[in-house]
Amino acid sequence: MLLASLDPAAVAAGHDLDDAVRIAGSTLSRSDLVGAGTSVAERVGSQVGPRGRIAVLATPTPTTVLAVIGCLIAGVPVVPVPADVGVAERRHILTDSGAQAWLGELPDEPEGLPHIPVRLHARSWHRYAEPPPESTALIVYTSGTTGPPKGVLISRRAIAADVDALAEAWQWTSDDTLVHGLPLFHVHGLVLGLLGSLRIGNRFVHTGKPSPEAYAAAAGSLYFGVPTVWSRVVRDPDSARTLASARLLVSGSAPLPVPVFDELVRLTGHAPVERYGSTESLITLSTRADGERRAGWVGTPVAGTSTRLIDEAGDEVPHDGESIGRLEVKGSTLFDGYLNRPDATADVLGADGWYRTGDVAVVDADGMHRIVGRESVDLIKSGGYRIGAGEIETVLLGHPDVVEAAVVGVPDDDLGQRIVAFVVGVADPKALSDFVAEQLSVHKRPREVRIVESLPRNAMGKVLKKELS
């Protein structure tokens, strides 16, 4: 059963939990989740049928929680729609997905779709058969480098496999209280945070805005955050020290700056777990609760997953911690393709089962991986060298006058690409370039350093390097 903790028979037999989910000022028990979720499932099933698709405005509210649970009980795929998405992108998501109705909250422009309300106090105890594991649970839209967002088909089997693998790696159990304040329309917040908790059976707390004060007040044992969240936490030492009582801090969705990693260790006593994944693959790499946690490294493949690094000739690169290769993954957590896009699916998912992530990485002799970045923007080919932008960014972030840094390659008639660093901070550009040359090889120094007020980022904290020029 995908949502194992919500087994109606077990809940009816007394295996309830009064505070299974806390979100937006409301507390829901397991019995609430089963009864209200089943009531939602009945309304969904009667209006769209088992072959339907449902759009859910994915705000962090009890309504969203029950809407997702109801669809999963009914076996109807959920299309999570970001609450702040623009009109044109929302229209594309609805049209491309073939969503037949809105479930729960409504956006300002519902685009003519009918509305199915979520009644928070309605209850039903009808028993539904568990849908097939290969059936689609979620259609999550993700933006690529070109064209409109693509709908990623994520099966029930993939979600279950990934949560179970992470439970093993992180020693995640029903005794945990998981805390985060992340969006419920991405893998990190929705699949790992909410659905993971409903599978494992732990308490789940959504803080709303992921502020240091809210994280400290939640009294959790397991915390999820993106680097922006952890950067804010370490700038609030009192809140950070409160997290010393937690069991595990997990960072993902973007690289965690080494200085932030070090400050978390100093203030909380915890070396954070770093992990890597994507909408298409879910989480495939992670450091472990019982293993080494090395700043800037995202660990080894989780159970059921394999990786390989490929060079431009199609050969595997050495596991020497230095050689850069294209990262490919294979295993039970992979998506089933892009909706309506067989061409795009074939571009990244081979007949042999290997998914071409578009990221570049290095791996050492122990199998530990470090993500260099996106092949399209983070692999810089300058003067005949293959250089990872992430390595330079890590060094820059170690300078006391640098707050944020992003490195890109720009076209250059002589070098092919010229290394340019965008830096938030108060520092002398030449001094920063010399600083990199002292720490790394001279050919890796930025030829140009631009001091800026801020870096463009998306909702998950990832720097939008395409906007840097």
Side-chain angles (χ1 to χ4, degrees):
M1 183 176 180
L2 176 58
L3 307 181
S5 73
L6 302 186
D7 179 6
V11 173
H15 297 289
D16 203 349
L17 187 64
D18 289 341
D19 54 349
V21 171
R22 284 187 279 154
I23 189 167
S26 296
T27 300
L28 300 170
S29 68
R30 283 182 188 155
S31 179
D32 292 332
L33 298 172
V34 173
T38 305
S39 176
V40 171
E42 289 184 340
R43 290 196 295 279
V44 167
S46 66
Q47 294 202 38
V48 305
R51 297 184 181 275
R53 292 168 184 161
I54 289 290
V56 173
L57 194 66
T59 55
T61 61
T63 298
T64 295
V65 171
L66 295 176
V68 171
I69 291 173
C71 287
L72 293 176
I73 290 173
V76 175
V78 177
V79 182
V81 180
D84 61 352
V85 72
V87 174
E89 187 169 329
R90 181 171 61 226
R91 184 175 298 132
H92 165 74
I93 291 172
L94 297 176
T95 302
D96 186 70
S97 68
Q100 294 165 273
W102 284 103
L103 176 61
E105 296 182 35
L106 276 173
D108 294 336
E109 297 290 339
E111 304 295 337
L113 291 184
H115 177 227
I116 304 172
V118 168
R119 300 187 178 95
L120 297 179
H121 301 292
R123 298 290 184 270
S124 171
W125 305 109
H126 177 76
R127 298 289 180 88
Y128 279 80
E130 177 74 3
E134 65 273 10
S135 61
T136 299
L138 303 172
I139 305 174
V140 180
Y141 277 78
T142 182
S143 296
T145 55
T146 59
K150 299 185 290 290
V152 179
L153 300 169
I154 303 175
S155 70
R156 302 172 73 93
R157 176 186 284 123
I159 293 172
D162 203 49
V163 171
D164 291 350
L166 294 175
E168 189 274 331
W170 299 344
Q171 298 177 359
W172 179 6
T173 74
S174 59
D175 293 330
D176 279 307
T177 296
L178 192 159
V179 177
H180 78 64
L182 304 174
L184 295 184
F185 48 82
H186 284 308
V187 165
H188 198 164
L190 176 59
V191 176
L192 272 63
L194 177 60
L195 301 188
S197 295
L198 298 178
R199 181 167 179 80
I200 300 297
N202 56 271
R203 291 174 170 86
F204 171 70
V205 178
H206 194 285
T207 62
K209 183 180 179 181
S211 66
E213 298 84 359
Y215 270 38
S221 62
L222 177 60
Y223 285 82
F224 290 172
V226 297
T228 301
V229 171
W230 296 123
S231 295
R232 292 170 181 168
V233 166
V234 299
R235 291 199 297 268
D236 184 342
D238 290 340
S239 294
R241 292 188 185 98
T242 303
L243 301 187
S245 60
R247 185 180 64 79
L248 206 65
L249 311 180
V250 180
S251 183
S253 296
L256 183 68
V258 172
V260 177
F261 181 104
D262 292 340
E263 277 296 277
L264 281 172
V265 173
R266 185 180 72 84
L267 291 168
T268 72
H270 295 294
V273 159
E274 295 187 65
R275 87 301 181 281
Y276 164 85
S278 67
T279 307
E280 291 88 345
S281 69
L282 304 184
I283 306 307
T284 53
L285 294 164
S286 182
T287 52
R288 298 177 57 87
D290 59 356
E292 179 186 9
R293 301 175 215 167
R294 189 189 311 167
W297 294 74
V298 293
T300 55
V302 300
T305 300
S306 302
T307 66
R308 65 184 185 187
L309 299 185
I310 303 298
D311 63 18
E312 292 177 327
D315 299 320
E316 292 199 46
V317 304
H319 289 195
D320 56 12
E322 295 288 339
S323 299
I324 297 174
R326 296 193 300 267
L327 177 62
E328 299 185 357
V329 301
K330 186 177 186 179
S332 55
T333 69
L334 293 187
F335 73 133
D336 291 329
Y338 296 115
L339 180 67
N340 305 324
R341 294 291 304 276
D343 54 338
T345 301
D347 286 343
V348 299
L349 192 58
D352 56 1
W354 286 97
Y355 166 59
R356 298 180 282 277
T357 65
D359 289 318
V360 286
V362 300
V363 60
D364 70 9
D366 296 322
M368 285 278 280
H369 292 64
R370 178 170 62 81
I371 306 300
V372 173
R374 298 297 292 172
E375 185 177 10
S376 58
V377 294
D378 293 314
L379 180 59
I380 302 171
K381 299 176 183 178
S382 182
Y385 294 100
R386 290 162 55 88
I387 301 162
E391 184 178 23
I392 303 170
E393 291 163 356
T394 296
V395 172
L396 286 169
L397 288 168
H399 192 283
D401 297 328
V402 173
V403 178
E404 296 181 285
V407 172
V408 300
V410 301
D412 186 276
D413 291 339
D414 179 43
L415 298 170
Q417 286 184 302
R418 181 174 74 257
I419 301 172
V420 177
F422 292 79
V423 170
V424 177
V426 181
D428 175 65
K430 184 179 185 304
L432 292 180
S433 181
D434 292 342
F435 179 73
V436 173
E438 291 169 2
Q439 303 293 319
L440 303 174
S441 302
V442 173
H443 68 265
K444 296 180 180 179
R445 75 188 187 282
R447 299 300 179 114
E448 183 181 353
V449 176
R450 303 181 190 177
I451 306 299
V452 297
E453 291 186 1
S454 63
L455 299 176
R457 296 181 182 273
N458 66 13
M460 297 303 290
K462 294 181 181 179
V463 175
L464 302 172
K465 290 193 173 182
K466 292 289 188 180
E467 297 184 12
L468 296 174
S469 60

